């Protein structure tokens, strides 16, 4: 089996696409880049009719992409500090930023879900 089809929320589709777009810009390895582009090419045809039907989707997708790019940068900075075993105030600030930015990301995904009338909606619960 080369691929499977799995139902996901519209927000999850947009999330996956924006992450793949970021990867396509930031990954240098040619084989990895080809894999990213293959997956992106498979998902974009699912997104296009949704975005064409709801012009506001483009704005929300941009916001989601910005949130994911920010998360990527924060995660990279955290990994660098972890590798260097530096657990200073900046590390704590970055670690706290993960939760905040992920919350922002989920909020945009659910805005997309509501706008698109998605049957699936991401839910979170924290203690």
């Amino acid at each position: 089996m080369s691929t499977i089809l799995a139902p996901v929320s519209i927000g999850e589709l947009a999330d996956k696409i924006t992450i793949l777009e970021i990867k396509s810009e930031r990954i240098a390895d040619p084989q990895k880049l080809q894999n990213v582009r293959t997956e992106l090419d498979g998902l974009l045809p699912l997104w296009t009719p949704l975005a064409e039907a709801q012009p506001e989707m483009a704005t929300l997708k941009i916001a989601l992409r910005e949130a994911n790019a920010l998360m990527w940068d924060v995660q990279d900075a955290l990994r660098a500090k972890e590798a260097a075993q530096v657990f200073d105030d900046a590390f704590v600030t970055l670690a706290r930023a993960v939760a905040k930015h992920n919350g922002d990301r989920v909020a945009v995904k659910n805005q997309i879900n509501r706008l698109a009338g998605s049957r699936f909606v991401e839910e979170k619960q924290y203690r």
Side-chain angles (χ1 to χ4, degrees), residues 19 24 37 43 46 84 86 100 109 113:
I19 291 168
S24 72
R37 288 187 176 148
L43 295 177
L46 300 172
V86 175
K100 184 214 178 294
K109 286 170 63 174
N113 287 334

Side-chain angles (χ1 to χ4, degrees), residues 11-109:
E12 189 65 29
L13 174 64
D15 190 49
K16 182 70 171 172
I17 288 170
T18 62
I19 291 168
L20 289 167
E21 289 171 344
I22 294 164
K23 285 180 177 185
S24 72
E25 295 169 357
R26 298 187 183 194
I27 289 178
D29 179 278
Q31 183 58 52
K32 289 180 180 181
L33 190 54
Q34 181 58 46
N35 291 335
V36 166
R37 288 187 176 148
T38 297
E39 188 174 4
L40 184 57
D41 289 345
L43 295 177
L44 282 173
L46 300 172
W47 174 257
T48 302
L50 298 167
E52 288 172 353
Q54 297 276 357
E56 190 181 338
M57 293 284 240
T59 302
L60 290 171
K61 184 174 166 277
I62 290 167
L64 187 55
R65 183 182 167 127
E66 289 170 357
N68 279 324
L70 187 54
M71 285 289 290
W72 182 298
D73 294 338
V74 168
Q75 296 279 355
D76 276 354
L78 270 174
R79 284 186 195 94
K81 291 219 170 252
E82 177 76 31
Q85 295 291 290
V86 175
F87 305 107
D88 57 4
D89 288 343
F91 179 88
V92 172
T93 299
L94 288 166
R96 287 181 172 157
V98 169
K100 184 214 178 294
H101 297 314
N102 194 49
D104 295 342
R105 180 176 151 258
V106 170
V108 175
K109 286 170 63 174

